[in-house]
Amino acid sequence: MDDKQYKLKIKRFDPEQNSHSRWEEFSLRMEPAQRLLDGLAKIKDEIDGSLTYRRSCAHGVCGSCAMKINGKNSLACQTLFKDMPDSIVIEPLHSFPVIKDLVVDMKPFFEKTEEVLPYLINNTPPPERERPQTPEEQGKILQAITCIMCGSCTSSCPSYQINNRYLGPSALVKAARFIFDSRDLAEAERLEKIIQSNGIWRCHSIYNCVEACPKNVDIPAHIIKLKQLAVRKKILKRS
Ligand code: FES
């Protein structure tokens, strides 16, 4: 297919130049099979070297190129020009402080993840080889494992937008990933972390996260399972 003209309207912000963001338009000729990330690289290489964005793997693995593309949180490296209209609006992820142009401060996001203890906890003596898991046991965490922590879900969550102390969907998926892992032994400890006032009960099943997730993780289903577990193990026990 032939290359085609696209207009990229990008929200720019440079705290050293201005305290407000501004919009800037760029016209590019791109081939349909090229990715939006290629378009950003073309602007940076050929038009304006000051354009700032994150990228690393360029293959939908690292999560660093998440941004708002035509109103929807997406990965720039997985967005093909052939799937886009001629005019494309690009903004940084909402809900996080903007550092420069399309780069947001992910520190608050990763702090929430830290809160749920995002690592395997098992203090029993390690077996000679690995700790085995049956396919059924692995199936329970398979979706949660595919999360690349791009922040798209948390950024799009209205509950997080009005209260950034809420752990947010990504951290809760991370909690589910370890709570439902048959090899992990810290279920009670993690449940305490997620039933606090800014934990699971802040999720009102709005489902924005479902549309935002580039890996199609059924995030609400994970949070519902956490709520069910919390009711069974914690709430009912206390009453
Ligand atoms: S650059 Fe790694 S996910 Fe896009």
Side-chain angles (χ1 to χ4, degrees), residues 28-238:
L28 296 179
R29 287 205 79 79
M30 299 299 295
E31 288 174 21
Q34 285 186 292
R35 305 157 305 173
L36 192 68
L37 190 65
D38 299 319
L40 295 174
K42 194 175 168 92
I43 293 172
K44 191 168 179 71
D45 291 347
E46 300 174 14
I47 307 173
D48 183 349
S50 72
L51 180 68
T52 307
Y53 57 93
R54 278 200 187 102
R55 52 97 20 118
S56 182
C57 71
H59 286 89
V61 177
C62 72
S64 59
C65 69
M67 53 190 74
K68 196 163 189 175
I69 302 167
N70 277 357
K72 181 180 179 299
N73 289 353
S74 313
L75 299 178
C77 68
Q78 283 195 333
T79 303
L80 299 180
F81 275 96
K82 74 179 172 59
D83 298 326
M84 302 302 290
D86 301 351
S87 182
I88 305 168
V89 179
I90 306 168
E91 303 166 69
L93 286 181
H94 286 196
S95 315
F96 303 127
V98 180
I99 296 174
K100 192 178 177 200
D101 293 340
L102 302 172
V103 174
V104 294
D105 183 0
M106 298 293 281
K107 192 163 175 257
F109 172 80
F110 287 115
E111 282 172 349
K112 302 287 187 315
T113 309
E114 282 296 314
E115 280 187 50
V116 304
L117 314 175
Y119 36 82
L120 195 84
I121 299 176
N122 187 332
N123 295 328
T124 58
E128 215 166 281
R129 296 182 63 188
E130 71 274 6
R131 296 183 193 275
Q133 238 183 355
T134 65
E136 291 72 29
E137 287 168 339
Q138 231 245 333
K140 291 182 183 165
I141 55 170
L142 210 48
Q143 267 209 27
I145 284 176
T146 62
C147 168
I148 57 171
M149 300 180 70
C150 63
S152 291
C153 59
T154 298
S155 158
S156 73
C157 172
S159 300
Y160 184 83
Q161 285 163 7
I162 58 166
N163 171 17
N164 63 11
R165 283 164 306 168
Y166 168 39
L167 286 173
S170 176
L172 292 175
V173 166
K174 191 59 75 185
R177 182 255 173 271
F178 288 102
I179 284 175
F180 298 117
D181 190 321
S182 57
R183 302 162 296 184
D184 188 88
L185 298 179
E187 176 190 282
E189 210 176 331
R190 279 200 199 83
L191 275 179
E192 286 296 343
K193 306 264 181 201
I194 64 169
I195 62 170
Q196 40 101 352
S197 60
N198 288 309
I200 45 177
W201 312 112
R202 294 274 169 196
C203 170
H204 301 297
S205 303
I206 300 167
Y207 281 70
N208 277 17
C209 53
V210 174
E211 201 191 348
C213 179
K215 295 295 166 187
N216 299 320
V217 177
D218 189 348
I219 298 167
H222 286 80
I223 298 177
I224 287 167
K225 279 188 194 147
L226 289 175
K227 286 177 175 174
Q228 289 169 336
L229 185 70
V231 169
R232 272 202 320 274
K233 296 277 178 90
K234 294 282 177 191
I235 317 295
L236 291 180
K237 218 165 138 189
R238 281 175 189 164

